[in-house]
Amino acid sequence: MIFDFEVIKTFYGELAGKISVIRQTLGHPLTVSEKILYSHLYEKSGNKTFRRGIDYVDFAPDRVAMQDATAQMALLQFMMAGKDQTSVPASVHCDHLIMAKEGATADMKTAVYTNKEVYDFLSSVCNKYDIGFWKPGAGIIHQIILENYAFPGGMMIGTDSHTPNAGGLGMIAIGVGGADAVDVMTGMGWELKLPKLVGIKLTGKLNGWTSPKDIILKVAGLLTVSGGTGCVVEYFGDGAESISCTGKATICNMGAEIGATCSIFSFDDAMSRYLIATGRKEVSDLATANRDHLTSDPEVLAEPKKYYDTFIEINLSELEPYINGPFTPDLATPISQMKIAAKKNNWPEDVEVGLIGSCTNSSYEDISRAASVARDAMRLKLKTKSEFKITPGSEQIRFIAERDGFLDTFTKIGGEIFANACGPCIGQWDRKGAEKNLVNTVIHSFNRNFAKRTDGNPNTYAFVASPEVVTAIAISGKLTFNPLTDTLLNTDGKEVKFSEPAGMELPPRGFGNIDSGFQKPDKSGGKSEIKIAADSDRLQILEPFNEWDGKDFRGLPLLIKAKGKCTTDHISMAGFWLKYRGHLQNISNNYMIGAVNFFNEKTNLILNQNSGQYDTVPSVARAYKESGLGSVVIGEENFGEGSSREHAAMEPRYLNVKAVIVKSFARIHETNLKKQGVLTLTFSDKADYNKIQETDKIDIVDLNQMAPGKQVKVVLNHSDGKSETITANHSYNEAQIEWFKAGSALNLIRKLK
Ligand code: MIC
Ligand code: SF4
């Protein structure tokens, strides 16, 4: 069955006509993302040229995807909007809440039991509003989307930052917060600043140990965690066409790690092969008939520098495997340099655990290449030195990996198969001994490696590499092992060397028929009321936030001045806290507990200006709230990088944080804060960050005159009686200022209803 085929057919039916209008309007050769973006303008946007990086544009995406940890808040908000059904097809995927501990079977049982209330809630909301529901065990959102829903030229938003994974199938797929999903599900335009374009030309061909993962690991090193901010990254060139569809998806998936709005490849034969193999020949035929509209124009490919805002070229024939990390995905080390880098930085060389899989790297190609390394190890009589764990991305993949003997191979070298879920990628890993906080190293093929993310231990050094490199390193037990050049001692005491990995792009025996775990919406349940127990500690009906009272902010105590990297994992940690994703009051107890306090360099220990005592961030925020005070949060660069979780924005709003002032924001987090009604400001002079003192009371004034492009005045009242006035920038447009005034974007939607 092809999901929502009518929507896809209509899209392709209209595409040629739309592209010819776009050509006339823009009057220049088009890149593939311009074609897709402009063919998805919301009707009221009108046909005109928008300026990249400057103009806000309303779009009309084709579909919405949500995973269980973010869907709860998204759907709780959607329910407040009072609609009968979603305006575009949408799906919910149960993947984040499954804890990895004892292997797939036992862990699934526990998950279904412990998360019953949440799963029941999601499933009944899906039934009521005609949303596709993928049961726990079906797989990870991005893998399911690639296997079932993505189509070349389409546009999708998803409440997860790795939604861009679908760029592997030529889709503009963008990670957003739940409130954005609500816009699209209620039929409103979805607003985005028209992205700039980064063009990456791939020449040559991957060979030996290098894989698509190494392309994005290298790109992350080149562009850093914020280098893709506000940009669509387009890959093209002969090298791009030689990469499998799933390999392309890996690259697009990890575009989130450079802050890119999304990444994309033009439609090509590899995508067509994947569509056909996954039972979507009709989609492949339609895309093939529209090929010219789904690829960049020849003029663009001939003179890319003229059409892209940034242009990079990478020769795949010369690319080395990379290992990125620890603690940040952009610290890129070519494998040949790892011995030097590890020594220089004092990274613990013994690898405790190697983990492969996740939404990023569990294609048939990935699994078969990793399995070839494992088979080679058996042939060479090598014993695996590290623990080895595998998380298949979907039931579909697990099924064929089992059928074709790969899982058996992994088990034979000591591997353990976890459930088809996020698991250790998001701290859902009940790792034995992690609570002891011992210094140790793990290596995985996931996408993120921020502190504490894998197992909650701040002293776990997590490195990212391709599945085949992770497998080889897990077998060797050493971070510094280079399978391209180094030998290992086998059980006979002989020196042996791995052969190059070999895999298959697609399963020769097909994907097979499986029970996918999809639950078709049962519309007969449509009238039923969604019940949430009043005493539930996992779900809580949302109350609208108050409107802005029209007054300036005066005397707001500083809540925390965060030092250094402050990702959404620092702001609203996952792992243990995932269970409160549907309960705003409870999850607010994790607000900023991972952020480092500038004044004492400690996490979760800040001054309560009222009592003079030090306490946790959530307690101090609550104390201010209870005494009727708002507060201000200060941060540094790329604040809120990482996840799309809007809890990181709803929690401060709930805790009465009035403004977040930082050196710069990550895109999704800034939008999330704006949508929830928290004022987002950036220092117009970044050095002003240094002026903020621990005992400051802060005024933010002339808010009545807030206008696009106009700076905002911030007064720092120091405890010695002196005060300093600084200016801050904001990126609000007219419509967004209305969100602030209404108290949240959702309050506005409710008014318009
Ligand atoms: C992640 O990879 O950080 C997550 C968990 O998938 C998040 C979503 C979430 O926090 O629920 C993301 O990437 O958006
Ligand atoms: Fe799940 Fe990790 Fe993928 Fe996020 S990045 S969707 S946590 S597997």
Side-chain angles (χ1 to χ4, degrees), residues 67 69-70 96 160-162 426 448 453 581 643-645:
Q67 42 89 341
T70 48
H96 280 62
D160 190 282
S161 66
H162 294 105
I426 185 59
R448 292 200 171 131
R453 183 175 167 97
R581 285 290 184 86
S643 157
S644 70
R645 62 189 76 141

Side-chain angles (χ1 to χ4, degrees), residues 79 175 192 296 309 318 428 482 552 594 596 661 675 736:
M79 284 159 56
L192 177 77
S296 294
D309 301 289
E318 290 167 3
Q428 288 285 65
N482 179 358
D552 283 344
V596 176
I661 313 176
K675 288 214 140 161
Q736 295 173 337

Side-chain angles (χ1 to χ4, degrees), residues 8-81:
I8 298 176
K9 258 200 323 216
T10 312
F11 168 76
Y12 286 122
E14 293 171 355
L15 188 60
K18 284 190 179 167
I19 299 282
S20 96
V21 175
I22 300 166
R23 279 197 191 292
Q24 272 169 18
T25 317
L26 295 188
H28 60 72
L30 303 171
T31 77
V32 63
S33 38
E34 283 174 317
K35 291 182 188 179
I36 305 179
L37 288 168
Y38 276 89
S39 61
H40 284 90
L41 293 181
Y42 190 61
E43 50 189 11
K44 290 187 197 123
S45 302
N47 272 317
K48 58 178 182 220
T49 308
F50 296 96
R51 291 164 301 169
R52 295 183 199 161
I54 297 174
D55 292 328
Y56 282 94
V57 186
D58 276 348
F59 290 102
D62 301 303
R63 60 178 311 119
V64 174
M66 292 163 276
Q67 42 89 341
D68 52 1
T70 48
Q72 299 171 57
M73 261 320 158
L75 293 174
L76 283 165
Q77 294 179 82
F78 178 71
M79 284 159 56
M80 284 165 82

